[in-house]
Amino acid sequence: MTSEGEATAPAAPSSGSGAGAEHAHRPRGGRTLPLALGALGIVFGDIGTSPLYAMQTVFSLEHNTVQATRGDVLGVISMVVWSITLVVSMKYVALAMRADNDGEGGILALVALLRRHLHGTRRLAVVMAMGVLGAALFYGDAVITPAISVMSAIEGLEVAQPSLAELVLPLAVVVLSGLFVIQRWGTGVVGKAFGPVMVLWFAVLLVLGLPHIVMNPEILEALSPTYAVAFVLENPFIAFVAMGGVVLTITGAEALYADMGHFGARSIRLSWYLVVFPALAVNYLGQGAMILEDPSVVSNPFFLLAPSWATLPLVVLATVATVIASQAVISGAFSVSRQAVRLGMLPRLAVRQTSREEGGQIYVPVMNWILFVGVIVLTASFGSSSRLAAAYGLAVTGTLLLTSALFLLLAKYVWRVETWKVVVYVVLVVAVELTFLGANMTKVVSGGWLPLVIATFVVALMTTWRRGAEALHAEERVLEGPLPSFLRIVREHPEFIRRVPGVAVFPHANATTTPLALRANADFNQVVHERVVLVQIVNENVPHIRHVDRVEVDDLGDPGDGFVHVTVHVGFTDSQDIPKGLALAVGMTPELDIDLDEAHYFLSVITVQATGHRGLRTWRKRLYAWMYHNAANRTEVFHLPPDRTIVMGAHIEL
């Protein structure tokens, strides 16, 4: 188990972070194909099931504003193909996935990279604001996607047997519960289970679309972007309305980027270009060809692609595939949560590493169950996927635009990309995403308010935590005081502070300030142990640190003072076990000639009360205090022996 603890330092920046950098936990050699199979089951579930409802939605929008005429069909299919090409293939798979933060992807990875390289308070404030809003919208998507995906899957049973309608809601709750329960086994295990199903699913998409393309090859004309452009120029209002449905074909694109840490860019690219993109393109072209031949099939173009004898098996397969679709945003939410903690946007969370090879494969229990509660509440409240449909696109399109804005900042100010390339990106990608956002803004009243409410709540949490943490840390630094001054007092005034036998270990995030527990022991008990060990955990961006390289030891005082600082370096698969780390340092210096079985561990803990007169509003103070006191337990995080762990600290009023 790993976690973000107060005695830990953030991972050291990798000099290779950025475009095309290779990192230690990326898949290598023979692992690429197995990970690509897992990616099919995790990363592409959402975008891979969009053919089920995207075309049906486009041609049913706004009282059949979009008609099944030759011009409208070719225009819509061309918009679909080129939206996927520009937003998914070009923006995310080819470009954005080059912008990784030590192998992690997603909007917060861009924020981390920009914070590392940009200078100027104003720019950094803008970047952080966009990152907070983008992450908040992604969480909204992470709540809505499982609800609508699983509901639409279970509702497919009504096609075979209308009498099962009353069972849809309870069955959806059961399936969703099972989906969140299995997360504890890790995305790798889940992906291996889901991967073969999605291979079959994409093969079926291909097989369903090809015969209709062969029978009506005229649809291949839609591969030319001129049909999309002509559709927009000749029927701007109809095209604008259609974009509200076309956006459903690219839902899951941001989750694809956020899931990069789980499977690696190479595996995701392999799956996308060889399997997913061809299957999606062929299926959408097949649906368009069928609509050209028989406009009446717009009522349910996906299922009508199949012969009548295959309808029931297709419903069953579609049900399983759409259940899998929700996995992409769940695993993406885990990655975003860990990055949010590292960026100081969320409190310390327990994070379980679920793979010995891939650093991005993690499980965040608290986030898993928060999502579960949100999804179940939405499912029970809305009762059907059609009622959730209006809310589906707004969170996605908002995140798309914010990701593009941050990516352009990275390209312009960090990578120093030529201006003309930035302009081309704006014309080809940002313009399309702005249209998507505008089309979905019209749905705010009819359901689009939902992701906005969720995003507002998450923004309140993140901004409250960040502002509260800044205020608390400022007070904490004052209380701690500089470590050299404290050591000088201990050394020069033995009449006030006695040295008592024993070994005292203080987990602490740095070697410059005095642990509050150490200062409290000296102030109130007038004692300091003969041997004092400060331990700092440093997370490195490699899978494993060899034992011979894991610890560094620095004497803090004069020789014989008994004060020593130990830095324990851990990889992402290594436990943050402080006793085991200290065991490697025993005997390295005279101060560490100790018996760890007799050592006592002192945790510095702050008691926060929302009763002070700081600048924060009262509700923010109370919210921050609640989050602070519910952060992950550091005794468990650092594997400290409970019978030899003492909690000491101070009281601060915010």
Side-chain angles (χ1 to χ4, degrees):
M1 176 188 294
T2 62
S3 176
E4 305 296 337
E6 290 177 11
T8 64
S14 170
S15 60
S17 294
E22 292 296 330
H23 299 285
H25 58 275
R26 289 190 173 179
R28 292 181 236 140
R31 288 198 50 78
T32 300
L33 287 177
L35 286 171
L37 176 63
L40 286 175
I42 300 295
V43 177
F44 300 109
D46 190 2
I47 197 170
T49 53
S50 58
L52 277 167
Y53 45 79
M55 287 298 97
Q56 181 182 3
T57 302
V58 170
F59 286 96
S60 65
L61 283 173
E62 302 296 328
H63 308 292
N64 296 317
T65 303
V66 185
Q67 301 295 319
T69 62
R70 181 180 183 276
D72 284 12
V73 171
L74 290 177
V76 166
I77 297 301
S78 183
M79 288 168 63
V80 168
V81 171
W82 283 97
S83 293
I84 296 174
T85 300
L86 293 174
V87 176
V88 184
S89 291
M90 183 178 127
K91 171 186 171 178
Y92 279 105
V93 179
L95 297 178
M97 290 179 68
R98 297 171 62 204
D100 66 278
N101 182 39
D102 299 312
E104 293 281 2
I107 194 166
L108 292 186
L110 291 173
V111 172
L113 287 172
L114 287 168
R115 285 184 63 186
R116 187 180 301 169
H117 294 98
L118 280 186
H119 302 287
T121 304
R122 183 173 299 178
R123 283 183 182 177
L124 290 177
V126 171
V127 166
M128 287 301 299
M130 288 194 292
V132 167
L133 181 56
L137 287 171
F138 184 82
Y139 281 120
D141 186 31
V143 173
I144 296 171
T145 296
I148 194 172
S149 297
V150 173
M151 285 295 290
S152 64
I154 305 300
E155 287 167 354
L157 296 176
E158 297 180 47
V159 176
Q161 184 55 262
S163 62
L164 296 176
E166 294 183 357
L167 296 177
V168 169
L169 183 57
L171 283 175
V173 171
V174 170
V175 171
L176 284 166
S177 300
L179 180 63
F180 281 95
V181 166
I182 65 175
Q183 297 304 313
R184 69 182 62 190
W185 283 285
T187 51
V189 174
V190 174
K192 289 177 183 177
F194 287 167
V197 176
M198 293 308 292
V199 169
L200 176 60
W201 172 253
F202 288 117
V204 168
L205 291 184
L206 201 70
V207 170
L208 289 176
L210 275 174
H212 295 277
I213 296 174
V214 171
M215 289 187 291
N216 194 354
E218 180 185 13
I219 193 62
L220 293 175
E221 296 179 28
L223 292 175
S224 170
T226 57
Y227 282 89
V229 174
F231 184 43
V232 172
L233 294 178
E234 294 173 9
N235 306 286
F237 175 72
I238 296 176
F240 181 75
V241 172
M243 289 291 274
V246 171
V247 71
L248 297 177
T249 65
I250 58 171
T251 56
E254 180 66 27
L256 176 154
Y257 183 30
D259 281 334
M260 185 168 66
H262 290 254
F263 296 97
R266 188 181 306 165
S267 302
I268 292 175
R269 289 190 179 111
L270 183 67
S271 296
W272 173 254
Y273 287 122
L274 294 185
V275 179
V276 182
F277 190 23
L280 290 175
V282 168
N283 193 268
Y284 285 123
L285 288 167
Q287 290 188 47
M290 185 177 62
I291 295 171
L292 283 177
E293 186 175 347
D294 181 8
S296 67
V297 301
V298 295
S299 61
N300 201 326
F302 178 80
F303 283 105
L304 292 174
L305 283 173
S308 57
W309 60 265
T311 301
L312 183 58
L314 184 58
V315 168
V316 174
L317 178 61
T319 299
V320 177
T322 48
V323 169
I324 294 171
S326 59
Q327 181 63 51
V329 291
I330 295 174
S331 53
F334 293 161
S335 296
V336 169
S337 298
R338 181 168 69 174
Q339 293 178 67
V341 173
R342 291 177 175 175
L343 289 171
M345 296 178 181
L346 287 176
R348 184 176 61 251
L349 299 174
V351 179
R352 297 181 184 175
Q353 195 71 42
T354 60
S355 170
R356 295 294 299 178
E357 292 84 20
E358 300 305 315
Q361 293 191 13
I362 57 175
Y363 169 59
V364 185
V366 170
M367 187 53 58
N368 185 66
W369 299 117
I370 289 175
L371 287 177
F372 169 70
V373 171
V375 168
I376 294 299
V377 169
L378 278 186
T379 303
S381 301
F382 281 77
S384 69
S385 60
S386 60
R387 295 182 63 188
L388 277 166
Y392 199 30
L394 194 56
V396 174
T397 52
T399 309
L400 290 178
L401 271 171
L402 288 165
T403 299
S404 281
L406 291 169
F407 179 74
L408 288 175
L409 287 173
L410 181 73
K412 181 64 178 177
Y413 295 107
V414 179
W415 294 349
R416 305 295 179 184
V417 172
E418 295 92 331
T419 301
W420 70 267
K421 293 182 180 179
V422 173
V423 173
V424 169
Y425 182 96
V426 171
V427 172
L428 294 180
V429 178
V430 176
V432 173
E433 293 176 344
L434 280 171
T435 307
F436 280 141
L437 180 64
N440 280 277
M441 287 298 291
T442 62
K443 304 177 183 179
V444 170
V445 176
S446 59
W449 55 268
L450 179 60
L452 297 181
V453 170
I454 296 173
T456 300
F457 176 71
V458 175
V459 166
L461 287 178
M462 289 184 169
T463 54
T464 297
W465 178 258
R466 188 167 183 83
R467 292 181 61 186
E470 289 174 354
L472 179 65
H473 291 160
E475 284 295 310
E476 194 174 4
R477 285 192 294 270
V478 172
L479 291 175
E480 289 175 341
L483 182 60
S485 298
F486 177 83
L487 297 180
R488 185 169 59 254
I489 292 172
V490 172
R491 183 171 57 249
E492 296 177 357
H493 299 282
E495 68 276 14
F496 298 126
I497 301 177
R498 295 183 299 110
R499 304 299 294 271
V500 297
V503 179
V505 179
F506 296 86
H508 194 53
N510 61 75
T512 59
T513 61
T514 310
L516 285 175
L518 176 58
R519 184 173 290 279
N521 203 26
D523 289 344
F524 295 104
N525 298 322
Q526 286 80 49
V527 297
V528 170
H529 289 76
E530 287 181 344
R531 304 291 176 87
V532 175
V533 184
L534 274 61
V535 182
Q536 177 183 359
I537 300 289
V538 176
N539 295 298
E540 304 289 358
N541 294 305
V542 294
H544 174 67
I545 301 293
R546 296 186 307 164
H547 286 180
V548 295
D549 301 323
R550 186 165 293 186
V551 297
E552 296 177 20
V553 177
D554 298 297
D555 289 331
L556 294 173
D558 294 335
D561 271 359
F563 289 94
V564 65
H565 181 268
V566 177
T567 304
V568 180
H569 299 269
V570 296
F572 53 71
T573 64
D574 298 323
S575 169
Q576 294 188 9
D577 191 318
I578 285 181
K580 285 186 178 179
L582 281 178
L584 299 174
V586 169
M588 293 181 67
T589 67
E591 281 75 12
L592 286 173
D593 187 13
I594 58 178
D595 182 0
L596 285 180
D597 291 334
E598 301 298 325
H600 286 78
Y601 298 83
F602 293 80
L603 277 178
S604 302
V605 175
I606 297 291
T607 301
V608 179
Q609 284 194 344
T611 56
H613 302 285
R614 302 289 166 191
L616 294 176
R617 294 181 180 272
T618 301
W619 69 269
R620 283 190 182 273
K621 295 176 184 178
R622 292 174 178 172
L623 180 58
Y624 177 78
W626 177 81
M627 289 192 289
Y628 182 86
H629 292 302
N630 284 278
N633 188 320
R634 286 183 297 146
T635 301
E636 297 178 2
V637 169
F638 300 134
H639 300 268
L640 306 181
D643 59 331
R644 289 186 285 121
T645 299
I646 299 95
V647 175
M648 302 181 70
H651 174 86
I652 292 180
E653 294 182 352
L654 287 181

